[in-house]
Amino acid sequence: MAAYINEEAKINRIRELIPILNEAGKAYYSESQEIMSNLEYDRLYDELRTLEEETGFVMSNSPTQNVGYEVLSELPKERHPEPMLSLDKTKDVAVLKTWLKNQKGILSWKMDGLTIVLTYENGKLSKAVTRGNGEVCEVITNNARVFSNVPVTIPFQGNLVLRGEAVITYSDFNRINDEIEEESLKYKNPRNLCSGSVRQLNNEITAQRNVNFFAFALVSADGVDFHNSRKYQFEWLEKQGFTVVEHKEVDSSNLEETVKWFADKIVTNDFPSDGLVITYEDIAYGLSLGRTAKFPRNSFAFKWKDELAETVLREVEWSPSRTGLINPVAVFEPVELEGTTVSRASVHNISIVEELKLGIGDRITVYKANMIIPQIAENLTKSDNLAIPDTCPVCGHKTVIKQQNDVKALYCVNEKCQAKHVKGFTHFVSRDAMNIDGLSEATLEKFIQQGFVREFADLFHLDGHKDAIVDMEGFGVKSYENLMNSVDKARNVTLPKLIYSLGIANIGLSNAKLICNYYGNDIQAVMHAKTEELVCIEGIGEVIAESLVDYFKDEENLRCLEDLLKEVVIEKSEENDGEDNKKKLSGLTFVITGSVEHFANRNELKDFIEKNGGKTTGSVTGKTDYLINNDVTSTSSKNKKAMELGVKIISEEGFLKLLEKEE
């Protein structure tokens, strides 16, 4: 920490630190952006707090005084009966020991999500609110009712108030992010995703996010004797059906080894945690200590003392994404951190590159944020000579630096950049299209970034990059061989699947089958189809027809298809001519909505209908014969439309009975 000559210099430093920390906090909590590392934020925060203690000079806008940020949601708001304070914190186990003295304590995870207060009356959940800014909270009762593990009713019939943390697991976080196409719309971390999920206006979205609730404090329970024990409170909450935060009883003799036990376990946890919390086991003793203006005195937070390793920056990879954003990734000499070897860390954006003053060959220190995510802590050399690329590493097009919310980022502005079309490649290899196993979206993105894949036909020449693929993270000889076998199988394909795989707007597999059947499975005829011909096909409207015709008008699309046709053999599709009339569902049109039970998924049901001569479409119209929905009484838009048009709504059971009648 810097040495300060006099009080005036200390006060000036306080004035410097406050806007820096407030800007970083606002970016992180309100805008889901990161303009400095967690380690740097904690260092500056601790410096500020020490200076305030030394000088007695505290400004009203200091982050040490603000319990939280202003609530910005449209949810109903109300005031907490009394302020919800944050906890004092340390990274030193010795401080915890001094604080605990000769008392017993309860040590538990400090979950990294959103704090929620639940109220139960007469055994039923009556209210749920967020912590908000500590003074004003948001009412999220409807959302809490759909948390994956919150009981709506409990055995206890009195008034109960408890606090806990709503969190989203890393596995659910990754699942949800994988479903988001736009890179810029992906969530930065589970905490941000949880915050948005808990505060949704539509609790159906909350339910889909699989939010978990971990109880960490019992505020009050009418008439229950807890024997003056926090541990007993936790046991009682578990009996009521709540998931209680994992915890252990400690005293000064086993505190250090218990902290180490948690530290060893965090690396395998599926839920996010940014430290530990210790609370006095003796409830009355803890409450007798009262509180400061900012902190209660009965609990203390422990944040991990980040394990730092010094290494050398060898290169920065510039990784383009689907939105054109080019992310800098630091590659350094491998080091051991928290029991694993790391050699890469995201630098996030140009602003952080500039703040760190990076240069190739610089000595840097690295750590794992929350003991999981590798980050650069500090650049010891600060050569500041890193060249920002002026061309995209994938397409070679000119790059630009854009600034949004005071954050600079590098972008490729070429609309035809292959990196922007990874979703098209993902669709091409999907099960209902070319069905090439072993090519996840992440793998395709790597192949595109490395220049292995520029068009669909290139996927059939991956054998030319064998050595590089085998050496890639997550691959090996066996994975490579499995991929090549899958590619070879994909060389034999039906024309409808080939047309569907191209990703033509509005052309689904069902439409592709109708079109290909009409043109006798002749690829040249499909490529030269006219709009007036296509609209004559039952089930093909003008929008679909124009999409197909426009696609084949594009010379680049035609060139890529010609290259692709050199790699594949088009198999003859099942002939429907003359046989449809003999099939059970001939002449019937179906729409499928909701979940299915008798089939693996809706696509399997769709294929079954089509194999039996029926047709499937995506929307209910006057030409629809049946809407299949297992919830026949649903008030969904499709059910309403079907009722308006007089279309029969049947369940899967009804559909199977229909098949029996047709036999």
Side-chain angles (χ1 to χ4, degrees), residues 152-221:
V152 178
T153 61
I154 59 174
F156 179 63
Q157 295 298 300
N159 183 277
L160 167 66
V161 180
L162 71 152
R163 293 175 184 172
E165 196 83 354
V167 300
I168 287 178
T169 63
Y170 286 114
S171 52
D172 282 325
F173 168 74
N174 292 329
R175 171 183 61 82
I176 292 165
N177 260 354
D178 287 343
E179 295 169 358
I180 300 173
E181 296 186 10
E182 291 294 327
E183 190 70 27
S184 60
L185 298 179
K186 286 183 181 286
Y187 294 94
K188 307 301 180 191
N189 52 56
R191 188 196 60 79
N192 286 344
L193 172 58
C194 184
S195 177
S197 302
V198 168
R199 299 160 67 214
Q200 287 288 330
L201 297 177
N202 178 358
N203 70 351
E204 184 178 357
I205 298 173
T206 307
Q208 293 167 356
R209 302 283 176 79
N210 198 28
V211 178
N212 289 268
F213 176 84
F214 291 85
F216 62 66
L218 194 156
V219 178
S220 63

Side-chain angles (χ1 to χ4, degrees), residues 251-268:
D251 55 33
S252 58
S253 68
N254 69 349
L255 180 59
E256 283 190 57
E257 65 183 71
T258 308
V259 169
K260 185 180 184 306
W261 181 88
F262 278 100
D264 291 339
K265 190 173 183 185
I266 191 173
V267 294
T268 59

Side-chain angles (χ1 to χ4, degrees), residues 199-248:
R199 299 160 67 214
Q200 287 288 330
L201 297 177
N202 178 358
N203 70 351
E204 184 178 357
I205 298 173
T206 307
Q208 293 167 356
R209 302 283 176 79
N210 198 28
V211 178
N212 289 268
F213 176 84
F214 291 85
F216 62 66
L218 194 156
V219 178
S220 63
D222 289 349
V224 181
D225 180 5
F226 291 112
H227 310 293
N228 196 34
S229 167
R230 292 283 179 190
K231 184 179 178 182
Y232 185 90
Q233 283 185 337
F234 278 165
E235 292 170 353
W236 185 85
L237 285 172
E238 286 177 333
K239 289 177 181 177
Q240 300 302 314
F242 295 100
T243 303
V244 173
V245 64
E246 188 173 24
H247 58 280
K248 288 184 173 293

Side-chain angles (χ1 to χ4, degrees), residues 348-368:
H348 302 295
N349 52 54
I350 300 297
S351 292
I352 293 180
V353 169
E354 292 177 347
E355 178 198 346
L356 290 169
K357 297 183 178 179
L358 290 178
I360 305 304
D362 284 359
R363 295 206 67 79
I364 59 175
T365 56
V366 294
Y367 72 107
K368 281 188 177 180

